[in-house]
Amino acid sequence: MWTSARPPAPTRSGPSPLRLAVLLLALGAGGAAQAQLFADNDARKAIIDLRARLDQNAENLRASQTASERLRTELTDLVKQLQRSVLELNTQNEQLRTELAAQRGNIEQILRDLGELQRRLADQSQTLDQRLRKLEPQRVGLDGREFLAQTSETRDYNDALTLLRQGDFVAAASALKAFQSRYPESGYLNSVRYWLGNALYGKREYAGAIESFRALVLTQPDHPRAPEALLAVANCQIELKDNKAARATLDELVRTFPKSEAATAARERLSTLK
């Protein structure tokens, strides 16, 4: 450190040229130093600011890298999760396809079973209809008359007549008597009486035959076979050697049914009957 001697007191006439020059020189040097000082401070501040910006940029870069790594990790986890989900979905879809295939097979089997059941029901329904039709009364035409008869009536009647045509009078008479007991209200009844009389005549049971023929004439005198029944009664009476009764029956026949073929036969029989 240095000190300078006190300058002499100025005079009223002002500073000397020398002092003025020194002063100006000092002022110039101080301004230059001051300017240099300002320049150094600006540079230092600029460097500090630059370093701060660099540090901030580095920090931002690290933060960005950290965020990128975190994002990459999250994305990786998300991709893995999606892959697992897709795999699970594929597995579930495969299971569903398997189950659907099995269900489709079950449905096809059910449809086949249903079709078979429907076919059987249709067959059973048709069979039942046929049976019901057999059980339902059927319209029958016999000896100029029409009536309703059960299938069993027609069957039993025809079976009995078959026996009679075969000459099995015993079995035919038994079948015709059974028919009378089983179907007392049948439309076949008077025809059964006529054929029963013939079966009994074939068995030589003339009294029973007369009774059956007479029952036909009494219950239905307008029956187409009534004239034949009276002629058969007369034949039975002739077989019983009761010519008087036979003549009376033949007269009744000619009187009641004069235009019938049986009446013509009765007239011939009367001419020879003593």
Side-chain angles (χ1 to χ4, degrees):
M1 182 178 182
W2 58 274
T3 60
S4 62
R6 177 178 298 180
T11 62
R12 292 182 179 179
S13 58
S16 65
L18 180 58
R19 290 190 63 184
L20 183 58
V22 172
L23 180 58
L24 290 175
L25 181 59
L27 289 174
Q34 186 66 30
Q36 182 64 37
L37 180 59
F38 288 156
D40 292 342
N41 288 337
D42 290 339
R44 186 179 299 107
K45 287 180 63 179
I47 292 172
I48 292 173
D49 291 341
L50 180 59
R51 183 179 294 116
R53 285 197 296 273
L54 290 174
D55 291 341
Q56 184 63 41
N57 289 337
E59 183 65 25
N60 291 339
L61 181 59
R62 285 193 296 273
S64 177
Q65 291 176 344
T66 301
S68 296
E69 289 295 332
R70 185 169 60 252
L71 180 61
R72 186 180 295 107
T73 300
E74 292 176 355
L75 288 174
T76 301
D77 293 340
L78 181 59
V79 168
K80 291 180 179 179
Q81 184 178 356
L82 289 174
Q83 289 175 341
R84 287 193 298 270
S85 298
V86 170
L87 181 61
E88 292 176 357
L89 286 175
N90 288 335
T91 302
Q92 293 175 0
N93 287 336
E94 186 63 29
Q95 292 176 349
L96 286 175
R97 280 194 293 269
T98 302
E99 292 176 359
L100 286 175
Q103 292 297 329
R104 189 179 298 109
N106 292 336
I107 292 173
E108 291 175 354
Q109 183 62 43
I110 290 173
L111 290 176
R112 287 193 294 270
D113 293 343
L114 180 59
E116 179 65 19
L117 179 60
Q118 289 175 338
R119 186 189 64 78
R120 290 181 180 177
L121 288 176
D123 292 343
Q124 291 176 359
S125 178
Q126 183 177 3
T127 302
L128 180 60
D129 289 341
Q130 293 174 350
R131 290 179 178 177
L132 288 176
R133 282 195 295 270
K134 290 180 179 179
L135 293 176
E136 292 176 354
Q138 304 295 318
R139 185 164 295 278
V140 177
L142 179 65
D143 294 332
R145 297 177 60 245
E146 286 190 356
F147 53 90
L148 294 178
Q150 298 288 342
T151 304
S152 59
E153 290 180 66
T154 302
R155 183 190 63 243
D156 292 348
Y157 175 80
N158 290 330
D159 289 346
L161 289 190
T162 298
L163 293 172
L164 185 61
R165 293 188 187 99
Q166 291 173 351
D168 192 348
F169 300 120
V170 175
S174 178
L176 291 166
K177 288 179 180 179
F179 187 98
Q180 288 179 320
S181 299
R182 185 175 181 182
Y183 309 106
E185 304 296 330
S186 173
Y188 286 105
L189 193 57
N190 282 315
S191 294
V192 167
R193 287 175 176 141
Y194 176 79
W195 294 116
L196 176 59
N198 281 275
L200 293 173
Y201 184 88
K203 290 176 62 179
R204 301 180 185 277
E205 294 181 9
Y206 302 120
I210 292 173
E211 181 181 357
S212 186
F213 288 131
R214 279 292 182 184
L216 166 61
V217 175
L218 288 174
T219 56
Q220 193 175 354
D222 60 343
H223 193 280
R225 295 190 181 276
E228 297 177 20
L230 284 176
L231 182 60
V233 169
N235 290 333
C236 290
Q237 291 168 339
I238 292 172
E239 293 292 340
L240 291 172
K241 309 299 182 182
D242 191 353
N243 291 343
K244 182 180 181 180
R247 180 176 289 276
T249 302
L250 292 173
D251 287 338
E252 178 186 357
L253 171 57
V254 172
R255 185 177 60 255
T256 307
F257 306 102
K259 296 182 179 181
S260 66
E261 293 182 1
T264 301
R267 292 186 185 98
E268 295 176 357
R269 186 67 55 84
L270 282 171
S271 65
T272 60
L273 186 64
K274 296 179 180 180

